[in-house]
Structure formats: structure tokens, C-alpha cells
Amino acid sequence: MLSYVIRRLLYSIVVLFAASFLVFTFVSVSGDPLAALRVTPDYDPNTIKRIEDAKHLNDPIPVRYAYWVKDAVTDQFGTTLLGDRPIMPDLWRVMKNTLQLVFIAELLALLVGVGIGVLSALKQYSFFDYSATTFSFLGLAMPVFWLALMLQVGVVLVYEATGTRLFPITSLSSVDPGGGVDFLIDRAHHLVLPVVVLMVASMATYSRYMRASMLEVVNSDYVRTARAKGVAERRVTMKHAFRNALIPLVTLAALNFGTLLGGVIVTETVFSLDGMGLYFVNALLNNDPYPVMAFLMVTAVMIIIFNLLADLAYGLLDPRVRYE
Amino acid sequence: MRKRSFLPLAGVLAILASLVVGPAATAGPERATAGTVVVIHDQEPPTLRNDWEDNNLEATALVVNNIFHPGALYDDKAQLVPRLFTARAKLIKPKPATVTFAYKPTAVWSDGKPVTCADFRATWQVFINPQNNVVSREGWQDIKSVACKGKNGTAVFKSSYADWESVVSANVYPAHIIKGQDMNQTFTNSIPVSSGPWKFQSWQKGVQITVVKNTKYRAGPQMKLDRIVWRYILDTNSRFQALKANEGQVIQSQVQLQIADFVKDSNFVVRKGPEYSFEHLDIQLGAKGHPALKQLYVRQALVTGINRPQIASSVFRTTAPETKTLQSLIFKPFEKGYTEHYKKWPFSQQKTISLLKSKGCTGGPDKPSAGNSNIFSCPNVGKLSFRFGTTTGNQLRALAFEIMQRQLKSVGIELVPRFQTAGVLFGTTLPSSDWDLLMFTYVQSPPSKITSNGLYSCPNNRGDQNYGQWCNAKATKLLNAVTTTLDENKRIQMLNEVEAKYISTELPSIALFARPRFVIRSTKVKGPDLNPTQEGMPWNVSTWTTS
């Protein structure tokens, strides 16, 4: 297994280099990052010259890429194009916020989605099954930004009608979040709507997969054998069917992590959450290629790691899988 | 067994209930009555170091202008009024311009140190130091020397410098704090002292900046509020939803479609008025532009073929229908000296067609027609089909373009859209001069008219930002002379002469409208009001109250 992991990591490094070069090229040719400075009335041309020299903006793209790789590897992604502000402290701050949001959403989506999927399978073609199916397709069909906006509008309408704001609609904390438990409750309160938005599509996906997987398992020979041997239904469901039906979901959950990181860009922008998505959007708006690259690299590494973990977990859960 | 399995469910429900009921109870409108006003803004400052290469932002100015307070600030009429100064600075000698000023005895930093001329001198040295990455050294580099005697100072310019007053009245840094500091790394995350009505308290990155009342401020009226919190929300729709949900009480905004909702809402007061930013249509007269545009009659056809009043009223139909057409490229409607030079070009489609035909243009319509698809071709310059550039993703600009395109097509002039991202448009296309027509906004300030030569003087004679390549030697001479003319009335007369005789006649650019600025406040908050300059709405923060 070790050689498999090493091989996968080596492949990943190649993929990272190729992807980073392509992204760097696209970002670099997409416009002049000093455009805003150039149209500033009475700007100092020496300032622009100094930035161009310091950041090698007039060099060919491969040379600029090489400088970026050097900074990324030796100087924690270096500094912003303007202002020479270190990238890593900001990236680290937003990363923690985003991971908090994504993990909570993923965990809740898994718990609820799996629960709905199991119940749907056990009560196939029941009212619950049909309802779950309908809502799952609704969840899959709703664009993230639309759902986020609708939730915001809903909260505002309730506030205008009653004077009570059920949930905050922007930001990660109140003006005065307090400390300790108060802070945690305030943070949780602020995360409710973003988590709901982020988990809906995942939950729908998980419930559909879990239902299908569960149906396949409960109709398999070994489950029938267990029932024939007189094993209690609860034990048949939980030990023989449920655990085996979960295996495909492990891969799905890990792969879904990348989707969530994509969805988080919209969610964090709409709810104004200080996370990686908003950081990425701000960097794009500022035409600063270096934070954009840092965001993309961190995201790519996370996706690679989670995909690798999914493959490894699959092997651990299913004895039939062997790594060569 | 059943009871035990119910307990976790009850626990989860209790937590959920506490999330809803607990914080919701404290999240109501009472915050505004506790001496705190939450202001919602779209952009978070990258640092608290304004006028730097990465930070020439209004967002930063709004926060720091009341911390590094100016000698005199621009009021809501864009007039300088003394703040830390005892009176407006005085020009005591015209050549070289020599200016005296004095800080009030009550002007002190929040750590107790007095604000003196030494602070002004230190600030001047910051801006002229080539090691400091300031965005512009304009004005500061024209000062030859600063002599200080306590609170009194005398600044001597290298020669005559028209904009002397805004330079010497500028916000000043605390000399005792910045001494020996690398200014490229100072005031990045906090500011330890203040000379203005509020002082910095905290910055929760990505969320908010909090400033509190500076109790040591005596140079002007103190804040009645305890603190102001600047909350940063990038998404436009969310910003306005947050205002409705009372997550903030005040917002200063450019025109947005969402503002229409607040105009009708009795819980909010919407103030609106023109600001220094103005939309215009630049015409390329250089080698890379369409040859037809070098012909004056074609430019005249453009200006008469566009219904400029209709554009202004249509673009702001739901938010500021009273927005008027801008009739000057140099002065704004609220400024002394504003003259309606472009009024001589009223909208007349029939006149446009007649003009083109009289110059031998053929192939166009005989009379204006909405369904027209015949485009004029003119002698030696070809078909009147022009590349029209502007920024993508701006609904109002897209609407303005559609109106112009439709109106000009009905008189036989074609506009071909070339929309680009702001980065490409301003970074690559605009400076390349490889375009025909370009619509964008100039963000300006009160002294901008003095430096109009940067935009309209010949490119090789101080017209550094004259990307349209228009060049008129007489206009250039006058515009360059304005920068050294100390008498304001004389300057106004010279600028109006340039615009009347040359700019509005030769039409290198077409004025469209001064963009309206909005301040929306909850009725629970009183005081926040318009200011067309970069002082923005906090210019009168001492009057703000909550109920």
C-alpha cells in the first residue's frame, strides 16, 4: 500500500505542476493587474516601474511562473502584487473558516442524507420514499446562489413582519460576538444558513446513492441468508446491510469535498463569510494573480488528499480491494 | 430504552432552538440605540495606509480620514472648511507660492501630544521619499521647504502651484509615531493614535473595523455616538438585504438597482446627489482609431445623434430619475464655474442625417427610423461603423450602450460592442489607443479640474492620460497654465475658455452624466449625509445620533 501511496503522490505532484502552470498562464494573460493604478489620476510612474521590476511583470510567462514557484515553495506563496502583504496569514485565516463551514455541512449532509436514504430503501415506494425522492431532486436542481438568496429574502421578510431576525444573513459573527460559549453560539447561529445552502445538494446526492446502495444490498444473497438463519431484522439491517451499503458512499463523500469547495465560493460570497471563496473572489476583483494561485493550489492539494484518502478508505472497508 | 433514545433528539432540538431564539433576541434593532451605528460597505481596506500603491481606496479614506484628520476638510458643498487649522491656509506670496497655516491649540493626538507643523512636515517627507510606495506624489513634490514654529508653519513651493490649498490642508501623520518607521509597513493593521473625532479600536479581518469616540478630540465637535462599526459585505444584493434586516443602519453606495426598494420604504431615508465621478464617451483621434472620427463633422453627428438627457434619465429611472445630463467635462454641476458648454449640441436625429449628407456621406437613411439598417459611408473615411468599448458586467453601462446603439443606428451610424473586463479595458485597451469609442467613468476630486491638462493637453505635452490623442496647442497652453494660476476665479475663467473654444467645439470626448451617489440610512439613525468628495458621509460624524 505504501508504494501505491507514494506513486499516487508523485502523480499528484506532476498534476499540480501542470495545473498550476496552466492557471498561472491564464491568470497572467487575462489582464493587466496594474490597470487600476494606471488610471489613477497623477499616479507616480516610478511606483509602477518598481512593481513591474519587483514582480518581474515584463518577463515571459514561464520565467514569471518560475519566480512564483520559488516564492510558493520557499516563502509560503510570497506576497501580494501590490502592497507586499504576506499571503499566508490571510490564507490561513480564511482556510480555517472555510474548513469549519465545509466540514459541518458535509457531516450534516452525510448524517441526514444517509438517514433519509436508508429509510427510503427500507420503506420503498412509501409516501416517505416518494417525498424524499421529490425533495432530493429539488435539492439537486436548486442553484446554490438562488437558494442562498431565497433564504436571505425569507429572513428579511420575517424580520420586516415580526421584528425578529431568525438568523443572521451575512458575516461570520455579530458586531459583539462575546467570548467563550457566547462566541460559539454566535458563530453557530451565523453558520446556520450557509450550512443549509451548502448541504442541500450534498444531502440530496447522498440520500439517492444511499437508497440505491441499500436496495442493492438488502436484496443480496448474504442478507437473505442472514434472515433465513433467523437473525433479528434490526441486526440484519444495521450490521449486514447498512455497513456494506456505506462503502460506495465513502468515495462519493471524498469526491464531493471538491464540489463543496467549489460551492463555497458562491455561498461565502452571498453570505459574506470570511472564507477561501470570498478570498478568491476578492483576489480576482483586485486582478492579483498571487492570492488566486495560492487559493487554487491549496484547493487542489486538499482535493488530491481527499481523493487519496477515499481510495485508501475504500481498501480498508472492502477487503476485496487490493492496491498494486 | 425508548426514553433514553429520545434524549439526544431533545438535546439537538434544544440546541437548535437556542440558535434561533437566543441570538435572535439580541440581534434586534436595539444595537442602534446603544450609541453604536453599523455602517455597511462593499470593500474592506487592504491596510489602514491610505494613498499607497495598493490602497487608493474610498473604503480606506472613509475610515482613516477621521483618524488622521485634515487641517481643512471638504464639506458637502466641496468647499474647504477648517478642522485642525485655526483658519484656512493663506497664500502670502505668489511666486514661489508661499503658504502659512496654523493648527488650533486644541488640536491634539489621542495620546496627548499636540498636533503641530512638525506633523505636516513629517507627512510631506513621507510622500516625497522615493522609498515609499505612495500612489501619487502630486503636490507634495512641488513643495520646496516647510518651516515650522510649533503649531505654525510656512510651506514654500518650488514655483506657483495652483492646488496649494488642498496640499497644505491634507490629513497629517503623527510625527512622533512614524519617526524611524518603514512607512511601507506602518499602519498596516492598526493605528495607535488619532487627531480626529474617532480612533481605531479593532479590526476583525474579513468582517469589520470598529472605531470609537476620541474623547481627546477638541478641535471640533465631538461624536455623540460611542462607536461606529464598518461591516464589509462584498455582494451587492446581500449588502442591501443586510440593511433591511438591520444588520447595519447606514450605507453609502453608487447607483444600484436595489436602491429603488429603499426609496419607497418608510423605514429608510435615501439621500442622493451627484458626485465627482462622471461617465463620458471618449473618441479616439489617433492613428489606431477609425479614420472617420478624425473628421469633426462625424463627431458632431455622434453628439447630436445621441439623446444624452434620455440616457441619464433611463439609466437612473428607478433610483435617481432627476439625474441631469452633464454639460461640462471639467466642472461638475455643483461646482463654482460649472457652465453648460455641451448644451449647444441638442439631440436632433434629422440634423445628424442632414449633416452627414451635406458632407457627401451616402448609403444611410433619409430620415430617422428605428428599423433602419443602412449605414452611412463618408468620403475617404469609409463606413461609419465604430468599435464601442466599455466594461463588462455593468448593467447600467450596458443599458446606456443599448440606447446609444439604437439611436445612432436609426441615423445610419453603427456601434459594434467590444465589452471587456475592467482589467483588460483600462490596463491594455485604453492605454494602447487601439479603440474607436470608449465609455467609462473618471473618478475625480475637487482639485481634479486644476490638473485637467493630464486628460486634455497634447499627449506629448503633459497630457499623460490623454489616451484619445486629441491635441490642440492653444488648449494645451491654457490647460498647462491653469496648474500654476493661483487665483481661483482666473482659473475658472481659463478652464471655461478651454472648454468653450476647444473641447466642446472639437469634441474629443462627450460628457454624459455625473454619477449619483446615495446615502441610505435607517430612520433610527440621524446625521449621515451626502458629501461629493472622498470625505464621504462621515464628514459630519459629530452630528450622528441614534434614537
Side-chain angles (χ1 to χ4, degrees), chain B residues 22 52 94 193 207 219 266 281-282 293-294 398 414:
Chain B
W52 238 250
V193 294
V207 180
S266 61
L281 186 64
D282 271 1
L293 293 172
K294 294 181 188 63
E414 184 179 49

Short mmCIF file of all heavy atoms in Angstrom, two decimals, chain B residues 22 52 94 193 207 219 266 281-282 293-294 398 414:
data_model
loop_
_atom_site.label_atom_id
_atom_site.label_comp_id
_atom_site.label_asym_id
_atom_site.label_seq_id
_atom_site.Cartn_x
_atom_site.Cartn_y
_atom_site.Cartn_z
N GLY B 22 -32.13 32.39 21.01
CA GLY B 22 -31.13 33.09 21.83
C GLY B 22 -30.53 34.29 21.10
O GLY B 22 -30.81 35.44 21.43
N TRP B 52 -1.62 54.66 -0.76
CA TRP B 52 -0.48 53.81 -1.10
C TRP B 52 -0.79 53.02 -2.37
O TRP B 52 -1.94 52.99 -2.82
CB TRP B 52 -0.20 52.85 0.07
CG TRP B 52 1.20 53.00 0.58
CD1 TRP B 52 2.22 52.10 0.45
CD2 TRP B 52 1.76 54.11 1.30
NE1 TRP B 52 3.35 52.58 1.02
CE2 TRP B 52 3.11 53.82 1.55
CE3 TRP B 52 1.27 55.33 1.73
CZ2 TRP B 52 3.97 54.68 2.22
CZ3 TRP B 52 2.12 56.20 2.39
CH2 TRP B 52 3.44 55.87 2.64
N PRO B 94 2.90 84.91 -4.09
CA PRO B 94 2.51 84.07 -5.23
C PRO B 94 3.66 83.33 -5.90
O PRO B 94 3.48 82.24 -6.42
CB PRO B 94 1.86 85.07 -6.19
CG PRO B 94 2.43 86.40 -5.84
CD PRO B 94 2.80 86.35 -4.39
N VAL B 193 -2.87 56.15 17.33
CA VAL B 193 -3.36 57.44 17.82
C VAL B 193 -4.33 58.05 16.81
O VAL B 193 -4.43 57.57 15.68
CB VAL B 193 -2.20 58.45 18.05
CG1 VAL B 193 -1.31 58.00 19.18
CG2 VAL B 193 -1.41 58.65 16.76
N VAL B 207 -14.34 40.90 8.34
CA VAL B 207 -15.66 41.13 8.92
C VAL B 207 -15.92 42.63 9.16
O VAL B 207 -16.82 43.20 8.57
CB VAL B 207 -15.84 40.35 10.25
CG1 VAL B 207 -17.21 40.61 10.84
CG2 VAL B 207 -15.64 38.86 10.02
N ALA B 219 -10.75 69.80 18.71
CA ALA B 219 -10.60 70.77 17.62
C ALA B 219 -11.92 71.03 16.89
O ALA B 219 -12.04 72.00 16.15
CB ALA B 219 -9.55 70.28 16.63
N SER B 266 -40.62 53.39 4.12
CA SER B 266 -40.69 54.47 5.11
C SER B 266 -39.72 54.26 6.27
O SER B 266 -39.53 55.15 7.10
CB SER B 266 -42.12 54.58 5.65
OG SER B 266 -42.47 53.35 6.26
N LEU B 281 -17.91 59.63 -22.91
CA LEU B 281 -17.59 58.81 -24.09
C LEU B 281 -16.39 59.43 -24.77
O LEU B 281 -16.47 60.53 -25.34
CB LEU B 281 -18.81 58.82 -25.03
CG LEU B 281 -18.75 57.92 -26.26
CD1 LEU B 281 -18.68 56.46 -25.86
CD2 LEU B 281 -19.98 58.15 -27.14
N ASP B 282 -15.25 58.74 -24.67
CA ASP B 282 -14.03 59.24 -25.30
C ASP B 282 -13.99 58.82 -26.76
O ASP B 282 -14.40 57.71 -27.11
CB ASP B 282 -12.80 58.70 -24.57
CG ASP B 282 -12.37 59.61 -23.43
OD1 ASP B 282 -13.05 60.63 -23.21
OD2 ASP B 282 -11.36 59.31 -22.76
N LEU B 293 -13.46 59.24 -37.40
CA LEU B 293 -13.59 60.01 -36.17
C LEU B 293 -12.67 61.23 -36.15
O LEU B 293 -12.83 62.12 -35.31
CB LEU B 293 -13.29 59.11 -34.96
CG LEU B 293 -14.33 58.00 -34.73
CD1 LEU B 293 -13.87 57.03 -33.65
CD2 LEU B 293 -15.68 58.61 -34.35
N LYS B 294 -11.72 61.26 -37.05
CA LYS B 294 -10.85 62.45 -37.13
C LYS B 294 -11.57 63.62 -37.81
O LYS B 294 -11.10 64.75 -37.77
CB LYS B 294 -9.57 62.11 -37.89
CG LYS B 294 -8.69 61.11 -37.15
CD LYS B 294 -7.42 60.82 -37.92
CE LYS B 294 -6.65 59.68 -37.28
NZ LYS B 294 -7.36 58.41 -37.28
N ALA B 398 -24.40 48.81 -19.85
CA ALA B 398 -24.97 48.03 -20.95
C ALA B 398 -26.24 48.72 -21.46
O ALA B 398 -26.47 48.81 -22.67
CB ALA B 398 -25.28 46.61 -20.48
N GLU B 414 -23.23 52.91 -37.00
CA GLU B 414 -23.24 51.61 -36.33
C GLU B 414 -22.23 51.57 -35.19
O GLU B 414 -21.09 52.03 -35.34
CB GLU B 414 -22.89 50.52 -37.36
CG GLU B 414 -22.96 49.11 -36.80
CD GLU B 414 -22.64 48.06 -37.86
OE1 GLU B 414 -21.61 48.21 -38.55
OE2 GLU B 414 -23.41 47.11 -38.00
#
